[in-house]
């Protein structure tokens, strides 16, 4: 069924961004009204689409009315099925709350019209990404949202942490996007089309080396966007440096676009989730992600950085559930995806409230704020209990479903690890509660008061969501999640909505490109060059070429310097890397567990790029072995 509303939903935030970009000299209240309308109207329009989609319709729209010609996609299509409306509703809802929160939170910043322009571009691009039914169109909006998020991470440019974090995001995110583009190029060389449904109908699952290479590229690139280990190293810096109203979107929503992309590739394009080898890969990948994330969170002393690593850990639960390939696992994974949006956005807003009032998120400098900020303390409690899986909050319901689904599928060790991660999560938030809200109040914080009502309102809404979705899990599961989960198995309906009922016989299968044809040589060359760039980036630079950041001066290393200084990492002041010690983190593999993780998270962008390339190699080897 054709419907124009998806176009309006996408266009309104972009139109609002265009108008806001020229509002530097208008009254702030007018700008806030534009931002409010630019997020509220799309939310309302998304709600209008929920009923028809959940009643069984898949809404489609072909841009320029370029509908399929002789059952072949020649235009760019939009398709709204239960999965896309589920993610679209989450995006519109959280962006609306983020906008309200930012009205007072960002009032001390300058250039605020630039902030809201980027914020609205981020909103529109995320909505466009989940509504697109075209691989290249998805890539375009993936890039738009990535660069909007990078710019927002660097918004407070007077802080060197913001510039450094945005640079790490730029490097790692660009490598991830390049792998996604590589996968698209390879699939296009095989099928001659970019339409999601059409590619899926022609592939069914990886059938040759080119498709396998493309599959590994997609998993790598989208794994970067979804914060999966070992491509998870950039989010802690980005979340820590970005304004908290943006941190909540990066953690709670932007990571879900990566998960959404993985779902489309695994279930709709390659349709490979019926294969035990792929299920095992995703379950193990999700489990490692949840364990590494919570382990790193335990070592943090900054509240926002701790939350960033917990985002990594909780995404691991989502991937584990979705990777099972069963309706129980998918439902549990989608439930936890929804819950993670609620409690992680809430927790980042509480961190923003503390930072707004005290000027720091360092737990060592906080204390005794429970009495001075009682509402923030209460909302923190709701979020902490939710993420830790304590009943009757929502995290318990979704984690319990994932526990049951892993047991049902025979993954008993995974169940034990998932429960252990919940225990460690609770332990880390007990530390936050004790350090920030209980105990004596440090000198200088005696007169701290509660944040304004406009900042409390989004926290109250999210807290209520954590409670309602925890107390009434049956309603959430039966009315929403079963429909969304079932759609992942019914790809034929998605295909028919875009191409009609006679699509199967009408679509010819093109002659597939052989493994040693030019397109494969080009892809191989890309991987080799990227790997060499990462390798040579570890070589010692010429004397005096590297500035020592962090003190605001232009000091340079002398020729006698033994180490190159890199700001960031797990120690805020600096972390060091021996200039002649190539891949020094990897040499710590057999060191004690936490010591290895600390060294692996070096703060050096070269290391982070290396992890992405290394994961691409591992995925290629594994997939070529199992297919």
């Amino acid at each position: 069924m054709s419907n124009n509303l998806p176009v309006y939903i996408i266009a309104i935030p972009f139109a609002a961004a265009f108008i806001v970009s020229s509002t530097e000299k208008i009254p702030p209240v007018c700008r806030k009204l534009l931002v409010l309308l630019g997020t509220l109207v799309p939310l309302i329009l998304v709600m209008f689409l929920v009923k028809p989609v959940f009643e069984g319709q898949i809404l489609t729209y072909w841009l320029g009315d370029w509908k399929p010609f002789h059952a072949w996609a020649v235009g760019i299509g939009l398709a709204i099925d239960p999965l896309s409306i589920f993610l679209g509703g989450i995006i519109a809802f959280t962006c609306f709350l983020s906008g309200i929160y930012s009205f007072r939170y960002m009032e001390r910043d300058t250039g605020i019209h630039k902030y809201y322009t980027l914020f609205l571009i981020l909103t529109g691009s995320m909505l466009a990404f989940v509504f697109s039914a075209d691989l290249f169109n998805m890539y375009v909006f993936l890039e738009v949202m990535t660069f909007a998020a990078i710019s927002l991470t660097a918004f407070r440019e007077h802080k060197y942490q913001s510039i450094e974090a945005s640079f790490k995001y730029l490097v790692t995110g660009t490598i991830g996007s390049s792998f996604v583009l590589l996968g698209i190029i390879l699939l296009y060389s095989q099928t001659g089309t970019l339409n999601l449904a059409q590619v899926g109908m022609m592939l069914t699952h990886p059938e040759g080396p080119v498709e396998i290479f493309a599959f590994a590229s997609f998993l790598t690139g989208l794994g970067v966007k979804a914060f999966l280990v070992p491509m998870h190293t950039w989010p802690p810096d980005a979340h820590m440096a970005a304004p908290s109203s943006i941190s909540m979107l990066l953690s709670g929503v932007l990571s879900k676009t990566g998960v959404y992309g993985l779902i489309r590739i695994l279930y709709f394009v390659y349709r490979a989730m019926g294969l035990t080898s792929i299920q095992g890969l995703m379950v193990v990948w999700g489990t490692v992600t949840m364990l590494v994330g919570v382990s790193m969170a335990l070592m943090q002393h900054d509240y926002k950085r701790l939350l960033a690593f917990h985002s990594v850990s909780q995404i691991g639960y989502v991937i584990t559930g979705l990777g099972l390939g069963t309706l129980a696992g998918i439902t549990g994974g989608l439930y936890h995806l929804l819950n993670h949006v609620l409690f992680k956005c809430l927790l980042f807003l509480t961190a923003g409230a503390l930072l707004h009032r005290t000027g720091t998120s360092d737990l060592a400098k906080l204390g005794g704020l429970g009495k001075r900020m009682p509402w923030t303390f209460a909302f923190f409690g709701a979020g902490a209990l939710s993420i830790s899986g304590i009943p009757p909050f929502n995290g318990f319901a979704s984690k319990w479903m994932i526990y049951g689904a892993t047991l049902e599928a025979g993954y008993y060790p995974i169940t034990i690890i998932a429960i252990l991660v919940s225990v460690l999560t609770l332990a880390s938030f007990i530390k936050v509660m004790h350090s920030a809200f209980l105990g004596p109040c440090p000198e200088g914080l005696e007169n701290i008061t509660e944040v304004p009502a406009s900042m409390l309102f989004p926290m109250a809404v999210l807290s209520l969501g954590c409670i309602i979705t925890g107390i009434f899990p049956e309603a959430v599961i039966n009315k929403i999640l079963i429909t969304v989960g079932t759609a992942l198995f019914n790809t034929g309906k998605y295909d028919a909505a875009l191409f009609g009922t006679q699509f199967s016989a009408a679509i010819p299968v093109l002659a597939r490109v052989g493994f040693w044809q030019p397109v494969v040589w080009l892809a191989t060359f890309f991987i080799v060059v990227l790997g060499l760039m990462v390798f040579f980036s570890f070589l010692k630079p010429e004397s005096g070429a590297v500035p020592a950041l962090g003190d605001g001066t232009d000091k340079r290393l002398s020729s006698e310097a033994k180490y190159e200084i890199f700001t960031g990492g797990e120690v805020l002041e600096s972390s060091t890397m021996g200039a002649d010690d190539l891949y020094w983190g990897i040499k710590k593999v057999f060191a004690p567990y936490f010591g290895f993780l600390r060294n692996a998270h070096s703060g050096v962008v070269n290391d982070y790029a290396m992890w992405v390339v290394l994961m691409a190699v591992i995925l290629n080897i594994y997939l070529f072995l199992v297919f």
Side-chain angles (χ1 to χ4, degrees):
M1 175 182 176
S2 181
N3 192 296
N4 295 333
L5 286 185
V7 178
Y8 299 146
I9 292 170
I10 296 169
I12 287 172
F14 283 111
F18 177 78
I19 298 172
V20 168
S21 65
S22 59
T23 60
E24 182 177 5
K25 297 182 180 180
I26 70 170
V29 65
C30 296
R31 183 186 302 117
K32 292 176 182 178
L33 181 60
L34 282 170
V35 173
L36 192 65
L37 292 175
T39 53
L40 178 59
V41 174
L43 175 59
I44 294 172
L45 296 181
V46 168
M47 292 302 103
F48 280 135
L49 297 180
V50 170
K51 187 174 185 294
V53 171
F54 274 76
E55 287 179 348
Q57 300 180 35
I58 294 181
L59 308 177
T60 61
Y61 184 89
W62 293 92
L63 298 181
D65 202 30
W66 282 87
K67 296 180 180 179
F69 181 73
H70 294 302
W72 192 268
V74 294
I76 298 174
L78 304 178
I80 316 300
D81 67 344
L83 177 63
S84 54
I85 201 66
F86 176 64
L87 267 295
I90 288 174
I91 291 168
F93 173 69
T94 51
C95 289
F96 171 65
L97 293 181
S98 175
I100 294 176
Y101 185 88
S102 66
F103 291 158
R104 292 296 299 274
Y105 182 75
M106 298 297 297
E107 63 185 356
R108 301 171 186 171
D109 290 87
T110 58
I112 197 67
H113 66 292
K114 299 177 183 177
Y115 169 87
Y116 285 122
T117 299
L118 292 166
F119 167 74
L120 289 165
I121 290 174
L122 180 63
T123 301
S125 58
M126 288 191 292
L127 289 168
F129 179 78
V130 299
F131 285 172
S132 295
D134 179 274
L135 281 171
F136 189 76
N137 206 43
M138 291 177 67
Y139 167 76
V140 169
F141 286 110
L142 184 69
E143 284 293 84
V144 172
M145 75 172 80
T146 297
F147 280 92
I150 291 170
S151 301
L152 287 165
T153 300
F155 183 74
R156 289 170 174 165
E157 57 189 31
H158 60 284
K159 297 183 178 181
Y160 76 90
Q161 295 97 330
S162 299
I163 301 301
E164 181 186 355
S166 62
F167 177 71
K168 291 176 181 177
Y169 192 170
L170 174 66
V171 172
T172 313
T174 300
I175 294 174
S177 298
S178 299
F179 274 109
V180 173
L181 181 59
L182 175 61
I184 293 172
I185 293 170
L186 292 173
L187 283 190
Y188 184 71
S189 74
Q190 295 297 88
T191 63
T193 182
L194 295 168
N195 185 271
L196 269 172
Q198 194 167 15
V199 173
M201 287 185 283
M202 297 174 69
L203 287 181
T204 65
H205 61 79
E207 297 176 345
V210 178
E211 289 105 330
I212 295 172
F213 199 178
F215 195 17
S217 299
F218 277 119
L219 293 181
T220 303
L222 293 170
V224 173
K225 308 300 180 181
F227 309 169
L228 298 185
V229 169
M231 291 96 75
H232 68 292
T233 45
W234 61 270
D237 286 339
H239 295 351
M240 185 176 174
S244 295
S245 51
I246 298 303
S247 296
M248 68 169 280
L249 295 181
L250 296 181
S251 174
V253 184
L254 194 65
S255 62
K256 306 308 180 300
T257 60
V259 175
Y260 173 86
L262 286 171
I263 292 173
R264 287 297 186 196
I265 294 299
L266 290 166
Y267 284 90
F268 287 79
V269 174
Y270 281 95
R271 310 187 183 189
M273 287 311 296
L275 304 175
T276 305
S277 57
I278 302 301
Q279 293 172 0
L281 169 66
M282 300 311 297
V283 169
V284 171
W285 202 358
T287 303
V288 172
T289 297
M290 72 168 81
L291 186 58
V292 171
V294 77
S295 300
M296 286 304 301
L298 284 170
M299 292 189 279
Q300 304 309 308
H301 300 285
D302 183 275
Y303 185 20
K304 291 186 71 176
R305 196 173 188 85
L306 177 144
L307 290 177
F309 278 112
H310 275 301
S311 293
V312 174
S313 180
Q314 299 304 309
I315 289 294
Y317 279 100
V318 176
I319 295 299
T320 299
L322 293 171
L324 292 172
T326 63
L327 184 58
I330 291 170
T331 305
L334 291 172
Y335 197 0
H336 201 68
L337 185 152
L338 170 63
N339 292 340
H340 180 252
V341 172
L342 295 172
F343 58 62
K344 186 49 64 68
C345 288
L346 170 59
L347 289 167
F348 266 111
L349 294 188
T350 63
L354 296 181
L355 184 61
H356 186 71
R357 283 303 192 216
T358 66
T360 183
S361 56
D362 187 344
L363 295 175
K365 299 178 181 179
L366 299 174
L369 296 176
K371 294 181 179 179
R372 293 163 177 79
M373 303 177 69
W375 285 109
T376 300
F377 185 24
F379 297 144
F380 163 80
L385 293 173
S386 297
I387 194 174
S388 302
I390 304 300
F393 294 92
N394 57 0
F396 170 77
S398 54
K399 286 184 178 182
W400 190 260
M401 290 185 66
I402 293 173
Y403 300 156
T406 53
L407 282 174
E408 181 183 343
Y411 290 100
Y412 307 114
I414 304 299
T415 308
I416 296 172
I417 294 173
I419 295 172
L420 174 63
V421 170
S422 288
V423 173
L424 296 177
T425 301
L426 178 61
S428 66
F429 279 98
I430 289 175
K431 179 180 74 172
V432 174
M433 180 181 67
H434 180 270
S435 300
F437 294 100
L438 303 180
C441 183
E443 184 178 353
L445 301 184
E446 300 88 349
N447 299 321
I448 294 296
T449 59
E450 189 59 88
V451 293
S454 62
M455 293 175 65
L456 291 174
F457 172 74
M459 289 190 275
V461 172
L462 292 168
S463 298
L464 188 62
C466 290
I467 296 171
I468 292 175
T469 54
I471 294 177
F472 304 105
E474 294 86 359
V476 178
I477 294 168
N478 295 331
K479 295 184 179 298
I480 301 175
L481 299 176
I482 292 294
T483 302
V484 178
T486 304
L488 272 59
F489 294 104
N490 194 7
T491 56
K493 186 174 182 179
Y494 185 86
D495 302 337
L498 286 163
F499 288 94
T501 57
Q502 303 300 320
F503 57 90
S504 296
I507 293 181
V509 178
L510 298 184
R512 302 189 184 281
V513 178
F515 186 56
W516 297 113
Q517 293 300 316
V519 67
V520 184
W521 279 105
L522 182 64
T524 306
F525 176 76
F526 169 82
I527 295 291
V528 171
V529 170
L530 189 60
L532 289 174
M533 289 174 61
V534 173
F535 176 83
F536 284 111
S537 67
F538 284 91
L539 298 181
K540 185 176 180 178
E542 295 181 4
S543 175
V546 181
L549 302 178
D551 57 2
T553 67
D554 191 28
K555 296 178 181 178
R556 295 181 179 274
L557 298 174
S558 69
S559 59
E560 303 298 324
K562 182 178 180 181
Y563 297 107
E564 301 166 5
I565 307 301
F566 293 85
T567 59
E570 299 317 305
V571 179
L572 180 61
E573 291 77 20
S574 67
S575 60
T576 60
M577 181 187 79
D580 299 317
D581 189 12
L582 298 181
Y583 303 113
W584 68 288
I586 295 181
K587 295 178 180 178
K588 298 293 184 179
V589 168
F590 298 104
Y593 176 62
F594 283 103
F596 163 68
L597 290 181
R598 187 185 299 276
N599 290 328
H601 295 76
S602 60
V604 183
V605 71
N606 301 6
D607 286 353
Y608 297 170
M610 179 195 67
W611 288 120
V612 179
V613 176
L614 179 62
M615 193 63 196
V617 173
I618 293 172
L619 287 171
N620 270 288
I621 293 173
Y622 177 81
L623 292 176
F624 272 101
L625 287 175
V626 300
F627 286 115

